[in-house]
Amino acid sequence: MVNCAIEALAKYGISHGLIEESDFVYVINRILHALGRDSYTPADPQPDGSSMSLPEILSVLTDDAVQRGLLEADTTARRDLFDTELMGLLTPRPSAVIAEFNRRYAESPEAATEYYYALSRASNYIRTDRVARDRKWTVDTPYGVMDITINLSKPEKDPRDIAAAGKAKASGYPLCALCRENEGYGGTLSAAPRANHRVIPIRMADQPWFLQYSPYVYYNEHCIALSQDHTPMKIDRSTFVKLLDFVSIFPHYFIGSNADLPIVGGSILSHDHMQGGHYTFAMARAPMEQEFTFRGYDDIAAGIVRWPMAVIRLRGKDKCRMTELADRILTAWRGYSDPSAMILAETDGVPHNTVTPIARMRDGEYELDLVLRNNLTTEEHPMGLYHPHSELHNIKRENIGLIEVMGLAVLPARLDREMQRLAEVILAGEDPANVPEVAHHAAWLAAFAPRYRFTAENIMEILMEEIGRTFVRVLEDAGVYRCDAEGRAAFGRFLDTVGR
């Protein structure tokens, strides 16, 4: 079966455009070397490997490596290190990928990204079999149809790997998971293997950046733009230049940046990066509930977006003018305080105000959404006043980053297990408060349970619907201005300081 899998992997590379037919013998020999084998029998009488999927092929070869002692332990992390090394043997060199990307870009930006995305999937850099495990659904809300996903694609750490990684000396290379130096990196127990990873050089704000895809795609063609330099996240004028440059290069993609402050920022603040892709989120579909212009910028349409968070939308044809106005709004917000609305620019010299910006092209014009953010903490809300409040932590307690801001809930894997268990408890007529695994969901359930008659057929649909409704409340908590008369009045006071 191993010979069959070796041949099947090489044939997979040919059929998916990773290697040429003339590379077949060379790749077979490189696979043999990785497996610690010195011979191969092409005329294997076992079943044709062409019927095997890529995960099955890699599983057979990795099982063989485990059985012959090439892996110190049979853990997910060590198997990933090994099978990624195998896929790296098939993945074209960076120079070849860049050349092909540029050739296709000359046809169209869409042709270039379609090629690159297909390559990232075929090389198993994007593990499509794991991504398929994610639970995904949509929920109708007063703000439009929102996306909900429970992230099941990231494997849990094995205690053996955690222990081994703790004993290993940190090399400091690459500096982080986003650094360009990850391209082709073999990986360790604490750093993901990237032998099959390729990046595309681009220029934004006349600075060297790179394009890559997220290995755990949350939506179609989920990409990352990352700075060549390992520099911290910072939202400033140049951020808007980069965003608008990106959508000029790839007008079919959106691009956005996480905020640059703790609590309201992303999970990686140490390396400047942005996220984009070929997807339309609920926020992009949301209309403007108020339209106006700012003084001196009559050429740029502006307004407040009908969204649970405070969003200013700008639309215009001139990148420079859009950048000027966005920077003017950012500068005003950085220093803005309104104690009556619990907006404080700083406390004890610690800044609180920033924005989450998102750019896209719409009908030939640039469109920029500026989501106002504030990371103030209080005694009542120590994790953040504009952060999911404690009564919602059973569903979401993590930071609300760019993806959630746009209307896609990325929820923890624990919810999949807990909702299954909660359904069992409800149908059995038990009190969830007395069941340790789901006791933290008891108050949440009590708030909506009287509206329903639960059955085995409808219970999971109900729980999924209520998770979606809770996500709306999460976004409302993260919004610096409520979507009511008082909130809109406070929002208006800020806009007036900008020159509405």
Side-chain angles (χ1 to χ4, degrees):
M1 193 62 178
V2 174
N3 281 340
C4 182
I6 291 171
E7 185 167 310
L9 184 58
K11 288 180 176 179
Y12 171 91
I14 294 171
S15 66
H16 286 77
L18 298 174
I19 62 173
E20 303 292 335
E21 287 192 21
S22 56
D23 298 324
F24 181 77
V25 172
Y26 171 82
V27 168
I28 288 286
N29 286 329
R30 298 314 301 160
I31 296 171
L32 286 173
H33 180 74
L35 289 169
R37 290 174 170 269
D38 57 12
S39 64
Y40 157 72
T41 306
D44 196 316
Q46 298 179 67
D48 183 7
S50 63
S51 62
M52 300 169 66
S53 68
L54 180 61
E56 290 170 336
I57 294 169
L58 294 175
S59 180
V60 169
L61 298 178
T62 306
D63 284 346
D64 178 69
V66 170
Q67 291 165 9
R68 292 186 302 105
L70 295 183
L71 277 65
E72 292 184 22
D74 188 9
T75 65
T76 299
R78 293 182 189 276
R79 293 178 72 92
D80 285 356
L81 287 167
F82 186 78
D83 70 18
T84 301
E85 179 185 352
L86 293 179
M87 292 307 300
L89 302 176
L90 303 181
T91 308
R93 293 282 183 93
S95 57
V97 173
I98 293 168
E100 183 62 17
F101 182 92
N102 290 338
R103 186 186 74 78
R104 299 203 184 206
Y105 188 89
E107 299 173 14
S108 72
E110 292 93 333
T113 54
E114 284 173 5
Y115 154 74
Y116 183 42
Y117 190 57
L119 174 79
S120 299
R121 291 163 58 92
S123 68
N124 211 38
Y125 165 70
I126 298 174
R127 293 177 179 262
T128 55
D129 59 317
R130 290 184 182 172
V131 173
R133 300 174 190 169
D134 290 346
R135 293 280 303 277
K136 297 182 179 182
W137 68 96
T138 60
V139 175
D140 285 327
T141 79
Y143 303 99
V145 178
M146 293 202 189
D147 298 294
I148 313 294
T149 182
I150 295 179
N151 181 14
L152 302 174
S153 56
K154 290 186 179 181
E156 295 184 2
K157 293 283 187 180
D158 189 292
R160 291 170 291 177
D161 291 334
I162 295 173
K167 296 177 183 178
K169 183 179 179 180
S171 69
Y173 179 90
L175 287 175
C176 78
L178 290 176
C179 283
R180 185 263 173 98
E181 287 75 18
N182 284 280
E183 185 178 41
Y185 185 61
T188 67
L189 292 177
S190 58
R194 291 289 181 254
N196 53 354
H197 176 42
R198 303 293 180 263
V199 298
I200 302 295
I202 57 176
R203 291 195 72 81
M204 292 157 48
D206 202 30
Q207 297 173 12
W209 280 56
F210 293 92
L211 174 71
Q212 67 176 59
Y213 288 104
S214 168
Y216 297 102
V217 290
Y218 290 132
Y219 50 85
N220 187 47
E221 298 181 41
H222 178 181
C223 69
I224 300 171
L226 55 102
S227 172
Q228 174 179 275
D229 301 321
H230 181 78
T231 54
M233 295 282 293
K234 184 179 181 181
I235 303 295
D236 57 16
R237 181 189 182 93
S238 70
T239 302
F240 306 127
V241 176
K242 296 179 187 104
L243 292 169
L244 297 175
D245 279 354
F246 184 92
V247 295
S248 297
I249 300 168
F250 304 110
H252 57 301
Y253 275 9
F254 79 89
I255 187 78
S257 174
N258 270 306
D260 55 353
L261 294 178
I263 298 177
V264 297
S267 58
I268 301 179
L269 294 176
S270 61
H271 194 126
D272 199 5
H273 68 285
M274 301 172 179
Q275 297 182 73
H278 200 182
Y279 193 73
T280 302
F281 288 89
M283 193 176 81
R285 296 190 296 267
M288 289 197 285
E289 65 179 48
Q290 294 182 32
E291 296 188 34
F292 48 83
T293 58
F294 289 98
R295 284 194 301 274
Y297 294 91
D298 292 343
D299 54 325
I300 297 177
I304 295 175
V305 179
R306 189 176 185 279
W307 193 245
M309 300 181 71
V311 186
I312 302 168
R313 178 167 292 167
L314 308 177
R315 188 182 299 162
K317 294 182 178 296
D318 190 316
K319 279 199 296 185
C320 293
R321 294 279 289 167
M322 290 279 286
T323 299
E324 287 176 10
L325 180 52
D327 185 51
R328 177 171 167 177
I329 294 169
L330 172 64
T331 301
W333 180 245
R334 289 281 196 195
Y336 182 76
S337 291
D338 182 354
S340 67
M342 283 302 291
I343 302 295
L344 300 179
E346 58 87 22
T347 53
D348 300 324
V350 178
H352 297 307
N353 289 348
T354 184
V355 301
T356 299
I358 303 104
R360 65 185 74 87
M361 297 295 296
R362 194 192 297 269
D363 300 328
E365 292 187 309
Y366 295 102
E367 189 169 273
L368 194 59
D369 287 348
L370 303 178
V371 187
L372 305 182
R373 310 298 301 275
N374 180 286
N375 73 349
L376 180 70
T377 60
T378 66
E379 288 188 12
E380 184 182 1
H381 301 289
M383 294 183 68
L385 177 60
Y386 304 109
H387 179 86
H389 292 174
S390 58
E391 66 271 19
L392 307 180
H393 286 180
N394 65 306
I395 301 298
K396 178 75 173 178
R397 64 179 295 151
E398 299 79 11
N399 290 354
I400 302 305
L402 170 69
I403 294 173
E404 286 92 356
V405 163
M406 295 185 293
L408 191 161
V410 181
L411 303 176
R414 63 173 175 81
L415 277 182
D416 188 54
R417 302 186 299 270
E418 291 172 2
M419 289 301 114
Q420 295 289 345
R421 182 69 179 114
L422 184 60
E424 293 171 359
V425 169
I426 294 170
L427 294 177
E430 299 177 59
D431 183 351
N434 297 326
V435 181
E437 306 100 296
V438 295
H440 55 297
H441 292 298
W444 176 72
L445 174 66
F448 63 80
R451 301 199 303 269
Y452 298 103
R453 180 177 178 275
F454 296 108
T455 68
E457 290 72 30
N458 71 12
I459 190 165
M460 289 309 300
E461 182 179 347
I462 292 171
L463 293 177
M464 290 164 68
E465 179 74 16
E466 290 299 329
I467 286 174
R469 292 182 179 181
T470 301
F471 178 58
V472 171
R473 293 176 57 197
V474 162
L475 293 184
E476 289 173 340
D477 281 353
V480 297
Y481 295 121
R482 292 284 179 181
C483 298
D484 55 22
E486 184 180 355
R488 286 300 180 248
F491 200 167
R493 291 197 295 273
F494 166 68
L495 294 173
D496 289 343
T497 68
V498 181
R500 181 175 56 162

